Amino acid sequence: MSDTGSRTRTRRDDDEDFWPADRSERSGSRRKLLIAAAVVVVLAVAAATAFFLLRDGETAAGDGRPVPTVYTPGDADPGTAALKLRSADARPLNAGEVFTPQAKSVGYKTYSFSLVKSEISTDCKSVTWGSRLHGDLAKYNCTQVVRGAYVSKDKRHVGQFIALNLDRQEGADQIVQYLGQGATSGFVLPLRAPGVEGFGAGFSAAYGQAYGHYAVVVWVQRAGGGKPASLNEMIDVSIPVEKPADFVWGRLSLLDGATGAGR
């Protein structure tokens, strides 16, 4: 597999069990990321769909700014086209609508997580790094970065939920795609909290998608950064951590209600 630098990674025979099955997708989630298809594309043409950003345990510029080992961007959700402009959805996000009671204790299959800390920053630059990302955040008038840190009930996995509030879908799309361009493009800083110290060191995986003018990223790893048994493990772990993204559907309902009331 190709990463974003001069190094080339190839899939070895003894790595066969690490990769998702050919028909694997993020079932159970509204984001139907075809992980296996992405892997096939990258292996075939080194395209920008699923990237190995750094070797296990590396951080950008060696200064403690972690990026995921594997990053997979998805296409914008077509069901959220009504949210393509923030001008139609101007009210700022608040913690209560994102981190609802249902989003504080989440689960999928055998994985159960609890939200241990959340934060909404109105200074997008202070909780991100990278000149490319900072330029995009300014260009698309980022006003909020929402972050939530999760720890699994058995303490074996940790996760980060991230949502960026941009002024239009074009910006969310661009940021979701270019986060995967390597250590020079930048990333969102993980939220530090009890149980997630050192998040991003070792092996981690992240999945990005645009929902209208919001860019959502889910970032997960085994506690301590150990390599998972397969990428399917990371996919399954990411699904419950994605639960706060349901705020998008609430926003759509409000828009539909406002449109109906105005008829």
Side-chain angles (χ1 to χ4, degrees), residues 55-249:
R55 290 187 295 266
D56 294 359
E58 281 187 327
T59 54
D63 60 3
R65 298 180 297 180
V67 293
T69 315
V70 175
Y71 174 73
T72 305
D75 295 332
D77 190 310
T80 61
L83 291 171
K84 65 181 179 180
L85 296 177
R86 189 169 60 205
S87 57
D89 174 45
R91 179 173 56 84
L93 292 170
N94 64 75
E97 70 174 312
V98 180
F99 299 108
T100 62
Q102 294 79 15
K104 291 180 179 179
S105 295
V106 296
Y108 178 71
K109 293 185 176 179
T110 61
Y111 302 106
S112 297
F113 285 82
S114 295
L115 180 72
V116 294
K117 187 177 179 180
S118 64
E119 179 180 287
I120 299 180
S121 175
T122 56
D123 182 354
C124 298
K125 187 174 181 179
S126 69
V127 295
T128 58
W129 65 268
S131 58
R132 173 62 186 263
L133 178 56
H134 285 169
D136 285 342
L137 294 175
K139 179 179 179 180
Y140 297 108
N141 192 20
C142 178
T143 55
Q144 294 178 297
V145 177
V146 179
R147 295 180 296 167
Y150 285 85
V151 177
S152 67
K153 185 176 181 179
D154 60 11
K155 313 298 184 186
R156 293 182 178 179
H157 294 89
V158 290
Q160 300 271 331
F161 173 85
I162 299 161
L164 297 91
N165 188 345
L166 292 312
D167 66 2
R168 56 193 184 277
Q169 183 172 307
E170 177 188 349
D173 277 337
Q174 180 159 311
I175 285 173
V176 163
Q177 297 302 319
Y178 280 97
L179 281 177
Q181 295 299 306
T184 58
S185 66
F187 218 79
V188 180
L189 295 170
L191 182 62
R192 302 304 182 189
V196 293
E197 297 88 355
F199 186 94
F203 190 100
S204 65
Y207 308 90
Q209 187 165 12
Y211 294 90
H213 66 93
Y214 300 104
V216 169
V217 178
V218 180
W219 189 3
V220 295
Q221 68 177 135
R222 283 188 173 185
K227 186 178 180 180
S230 71
L231 282 182
N232 283 321
E233 177 185 333
M234 295 289 93
I235 294 165
D236 287 348
V237 167
S238 74
I239 288 172
V241 176
E242 187 189 32
K243 179 65 176 176
D246 282 353
F247 80 83
V248 172
W249 313 106

Side-chain angles (χ1 to χ4, degrees), residues 5-73:
S6 60
R7 300 185 301 274
T8 299
R9 294 171 178 267
T10 57
R11 177 174 170 175
R12 306 188 309 270
D13 291 341
D14 58 358
D15 282 337
E16 181 177 357
D17 292 339
F18 181 76
W19 298 96
D22 288 343
R23 295 183 182 273
S24 172
E25 64 180 45
R26 299 192 64 206
S27 57
S29 167
R30 290 187 176 89
R31 275 190 295 145
K32 302 291 187 179
L33 295 180
L34 300 176
I35 303 298
V39 170
V40 170
V41 170
V42 175
L43 289 172
V45 298
T49 307
F51 300 94
F52 270 91
L53 301 183
L54 297 171
R55 290 187 295 266
D56 294 359
E58 281 187 327
T59 54
D63 60 3
R65 298 180 297 180
V67 293
T69 315
V70 175
Y71 174 73
T72 305

